[in-house]
Amino acid sequence: MTLGVHDEYEGVRQALEREPWHASAWYRRRYPSPWLEVVCDADENEPAATQADLPMTFSQKDRRYAGRAVHRYRIDNPGIAGGAHGSDMSDGHQRLGTVPPSFDSTGADDPMNFA
């Protein structure tokens, strides 16, 4: 499936916030939360955490990763009618401190497994 080229967005974050969710029905049922978490490279002067997922080596025996500054925030789940009401930010973002984190993992080999 191709989603085409969209030049109406100012950047990736705006596209993630405004583009309809293209996930299949079975995948949407897996994530019924009123929010979806966005983890992206942090901009300068933005709250950030360090995530060790930037490969320094690709050695099979001694693979090493450097830290990368990431910013985490939540957006309304477009798969839920009406989205998340009561957002505490005017742009629709949810501060992670206001909602319990949901860093679900699919296993130890999941690159998004933060455990």
Side-chain angles (χ1 to χ4, degrees):
M1 174 170 91
T2 179
L3 301 179
V5 175
H6 294 269
D7 57 5
E8 68 269 24
Y9 302 119
E10 291 181 25
V12 171
R13 291 183 190 194
Q14 188 181 67
L16 288 170
E17 294 163 10
R18 296 185 182 172
E19 184 70 16
W21 199 16
H22 297 279
S24 63
W26 70 265
Y27 193 86
R28 289 177 192 222
R29 284 191 301 273
R30 222 174 136 185
Y31 296 96
S33 170
W35 300 283
L36 296 176
E37 182 180 35
V38 175
V39 180
C40 57
D41 289 338
D43 290 334
E44 191 174 335
N45 299 322
E46 185 171 51
T50 301
Q51 185 169 311
D53 66 353
L54 187 62
M56 293 176 56
T57 68
F58 291 95
S59 166
Q60 292 293 330
K61 292 182 180 182
D62 187 30
R63 187 165 297 168
R64 291 185 308 226
Y65 298 91
R68 176 174 63 98
V70 296
H71 176 65
R72 298 175 192 275
Y73 65 96
R74 294 187 179 185
I75 59 174
D76 288 344
N77 184 341
I80 306 267
H85 299 291
S87 175
D88 68 341
M89 296 176 72
S90 61
D91 60 2
H93 292 190
Q94 283 286 327
R95 295 185 202 283
L96 283 181
T98 64
V99 179
S102 66
F103 305 132
D104 293 333
S105 170
T106 58
D109 296 329
D110 182 351
M112 300 307 286
N113 182 352
F114 304 109

